[in-house]
Amino acid sequence: MLMGEFQHNIDAKGRLIVPAKLRDDLGENFVLTKGLDGCLFGYPVSEWAKLEVKLNEMPLSKKDARTFVRYFYAGASEVEIDKQGRINIPQSLREHAAITKGCMIIGVSDRIEIWDEARWQAYAKEAEENFDQIAETMSDFGF
């Protein structure tokens, strides 16, 4: 299970250290793609395969489904963790997430998310301020 919050800096070549605590669950290679809320999603290959099954079941007759699948796959890239524990994030993905220097890498169960540090801090502050209210609605999801 992927969990935790880690701060690292991306270098000028687009390389980012993947925290050691996340590397075993991610594997040597994993899939990085455009995520929601302005971040990147990183999936272990086994989780990506499960997601692909669901994406392939989406109805081609629905425009929103086609758009989502295209955008999600178009941004996807398989990345490899090098001997120094780094990945190289493609420029298009760095631009999508507005990543320039400080990054937050967070574990979210079956995936990681990579955020620009300032964007994550703003998002986390808002989530913290509304956490009790959000928690009350979780019963709608069977929690």
Side-chain angles (χ1 to χ4, degrees), residues 6 19 23 55 63 90:
F6 309 88
R23 286 184 214 147
L55 291 171
K63 184 177 181 178

Side-chain angles (χ1 to χ4, degrees), residues 31 43-54 56:
V31 178
Y43 292 93
V45 173
S46 61
E47 291 298 326
W48 180 257
K50 292 176 191 175
L51 186 58
E52 279 186 305
V53 170
K54 292 178 183 177
N56 288 333

Side-chain angles (χ1 to χ4, degrees), residues 6 19 22-23 27 29 49 54 58 82 99 109 131 134:
F6 309 88
L22 301 176
R23 286 184 214 147
N29 299 311
K54 292 178 183 177
M58 295 182 78
D82 69 15
I99 293 172
S109 184
F131 192 70
I134 294 166

Side-chain angles (χ1 to χ4, degrees), residues 3-139:
M3 61 184 169
E5 177 182 88
F6 309 88
Q7 193 284 330
H8 287 281
N9 290 326
I10 193 167
D11 70 14
K13 295 181 180 180
R15 296 176 300 196
L16 177 68
I17 292 173
V18 176
K21 290 185 177 185
L22 301 176
R23 286 184 214 147
D24 286 342
D25 289 332
L26 286 169
E28 291 180 16
N29 299 311
F30 64 93
V31 178
L32 198 59
T33 192
K34 295 173 182 174
L36 304 174
D37 301 316
C39 71
L40 303 177
F41 288 171
Y43 292 93
V45 173
S46 61
E47 291 298 326
W48 180 257
K50 292 176 191 175
L51 186 58
E52 279 186 305
V53 170
K54 292 178 183 177
L55 291 171
N56 288 333
E57 292 172 352
M58 295 182 78
L60 285 175
S61 60
K62 299 283 187 180
K63 184 177 181 178
D64 286 347
R66 289 192 311 271
T67 300
F68 181 82
V69 170
R70 280 186 192 125
Y71 189 73
F72 202 66
Y73 274 107
S77 179
E78 190 168 344
V79 295
E80 181 177 356
I81 299 175
D82 69 15
K83 292 178 182 173
Q84 286 78 38
R86 303 172 301 187
I87 57 168
N88 190 351
I89 301 176
Q91 180 67 30
S92 62
L93 293 180
R94 287 184 299 208
E95 289 171 5
H96 169 78
I99 293 172
T100 56
K101 185 157 176 85
C103 297
M104 296 301 295
I105 302 113
I106 62 171
V108 188
S109 184
D110 64 346
R111 71 177 184 274
I112 63 166
E113 294 181 355
I114 301 173
W115 291 76
D116 168 74
E117 186 174 12
R119 187 178 275 182
W120 170 252
Q121 297 303 337
Y123 181 87
K125 181 179 182 199
E126 183 179 335
E128 184 174 348
E129 290 170 357
N130 298 307
F131 192 70
D132 290 342
Q133 183 180 357
I134 294 166
E136 288 181 20
T137 66
M138 291 299 100
S139 64

